[in-house]
Every structure is written in C-alpha cells, then in structure tokens.
Amino acid sequence: MEVTIGRTLLRLVQGDITQQEVEAIVNAANSELTGGGGVDGAIHRAGGPAIHEECMRIRREKGRLPAGQAVITTGGRLKARYVIHTVGPIWHGGGHGQDETLASAYRSSLELAENHGLRTVAFPSISTGAYGFPVERAARVALGAVRAFLSRPEGQALEEVRFVLFSGRDLEAYEQALRGMASPE
Ligand code: APR
C-alpha cells in the first residue's frame, strides 16, 4: 500500500528490513546501543562489526541514548549506506507519555535523515516487539508522526519513507491505520 504526502512516497511493505535497498534503515535499538534481539540483532548480524564499533564510539562520546532520540552510523555490509539507531518507549500501559516518545523516535530519525541529505529511509515497527507496545496503537502514532513531519512546508527532501513490517498481521495493522488517516475527519 502507498500514498503520497507532499513530494514523499509513503510505502507499507512486508519483509526483512536488513534487505532493503534504501539509503538508511532505522534500527529499534536500546539506550545502551549494545545490540540485542529482534530487528536490532538482525541488523548487527547482517551489517557486521563496523556498526557495533561505531555504536560503542558514540556511547563513549555521548553516553546513553534516551528514548525518543536517534543517532546515525555506517550500514557496514548492508545494502543501506547508513543505519539510524533510535530507541522507542517500553510499553507501560500508555499513560506515561509513551505515544509522544514513540512519535519523537520517528521524528528524530527523519530529522537525522534529512540533515544527512538522504532521500530514502526504511523503518521497522519500533517498540512493538520486545518493548511490548500494542501494534495497532503504535501504527497510528508512527504514521501520524511521519505524516506530520512530511507535511511541513520545508519537508520536501525525502523521496520515500518505507515501513517494513515483519509479519502479515503487522502489515495489516499499519494498512488499517493508514486507511483511517486518509479518510475525511
Ligand atoms: N525486519 C523487519 N522487522 C523486524 C525484523 C526484521 N529483520 N526482525 C524483527 N522485526 C520486527 C518485530 O517483529 C517487531 O514487530 O520489529 C518489530 C520491533 O521489535 P523489536 O526488534 O523487539 O524492537 P522493540 O520492540 O523496539 O524492542 C527494542 O529489543 O532487541 C532489543 O536491543 C533491542 O532492547 C531493544 C529492544
């Protein structure tokens, strides 16, 4: 499924983010930037040690990465030239500003992409695995944050923002959220 927002194509696909041919893929990392399971583990495995080395350098220089913020490293052996590492919120029932932190993770990643002059970026479904965020709600927050970012008058640089959903169920949740947003309010 795809829609155009401003000049940017927003696409939802099912697949493995490590295989995407885009300039940057986004990693659902943890604040330590140490790597982990899920999409984080898959990206480090596919990209090789260069990503971990750069993450550790960032850790030494900047300390922990708070939830909602993002940093950029090489993509190592990935097809993508860069990996943008962001940290989503851990789900605690939704009442602790978790929607805003999740939106901030998407926004910070897009800002970083734009500041590096990148044109194509792929996101996984941040926080909906180990961090337990319900996927239907996360899909609304994620797509809302991306739409708001791309709708800014100055937000004209990105050609494509792609969501790469691992499961058919996740893809459906994102498609439904996108349909919900497209309908008149
Ligand atoms: N491509 C795309 N999506 C993937 C892939 C992949 N190769 N592998 C897993 N996913 C999906 C999961 O199915 C889930 O829907 O990514 C989504 C996010 O799940 P997690 O990777 O668990 O991320 P998150 O919930 O944000 O938890 C982050 O997990 O591995 C640790 O270091 C990471 O501590 C951090 C935490």
Side-chain angles (χ1 to χ4, degrees):
M1 183 171 174
E2 53 187 60
V3 297
T4 304
I5 301 174
R7 284 194 208 156
T8 309
L9 185 66
L10 173 61
R11 285 178 68 200
L12 310 181
V13 302
Q14 187 178 352
D16 179 350
I17 199 162
T18 65
Q19 301 305 314
Q20 303 301 307
E21 295 191 21
V22 287
E23 287 176 312
I25 63 172
V26 177
N27 182 18
N30 57 63
S31 290
E32 314 303 329
L33 296 175
T34 45
V39 74
D40 197 4
I43 288 173
H44 279 280
R45 272 194 305 279
I51 300 176
H52 184 70
E53 281 161 25
E54 230 178 298
C55 282
M56 291 305 95
R57 187 175 53 72
I58 292 169
R59 260 304 302 268
R60 283 194 300 276
E61 287 171 6
K62 297 189 182 173
R64 297 173 81 247
L65 181 66
Q69 296 187 19
V71 295
I72 190 165
T73 67
T74 175
R77 294 195 297 255
L78 292 169
K79 291 174 190 160
R81 191 162 164 211
Y82 299 99
V83 176
I84 295 173
H85 306 262
T86 192
V87 182
I90 299 172
W91 178 251
H92 287 299
H96 303 80
Q98 289 149 39
D99 287 350
E100 176 43 32
T101 305
L102 185 59
S104 171
Y106 283 96
R107 210 164 41 233
S108 305
S109 301
L110 290 168
E111 274 164 14
L112 213 43
E114 214 174 64
N115 293 341
H116 281 73
L118 306 185
R119 287 157 305 167
T120 52
V121 183
F123 282 99
S125 178
I126 297 165
S127 281
T128 63
Y131 281 0
F133 211 105
V135 67
E136 289 77 14
R137 180 161 168 165
R140 285 196 299 274
V141 173
L143 293 168
V146 169
R147 180 171 69 169
F149 186 88
L150 298 178
S151 303
R152 298 164 312 141
E154 68 274 28
Q156 307 283 324
L158 284 158
E159 283 171 14
E160 182 181 330
V161 174
R162 188 181 302 173
F163 278 84
V164 182
L165 292 322
F166 213 36
S167 70
R169 181 179 169 268
D170 288 351
L171 176 64
E172 238 169 71
Y174 275 73
E175 284 181 344
Q176 205 174 336
L178 188 57
R179 272 188 228 109
M181 279 183 7
S183 61
E185 293 174 1

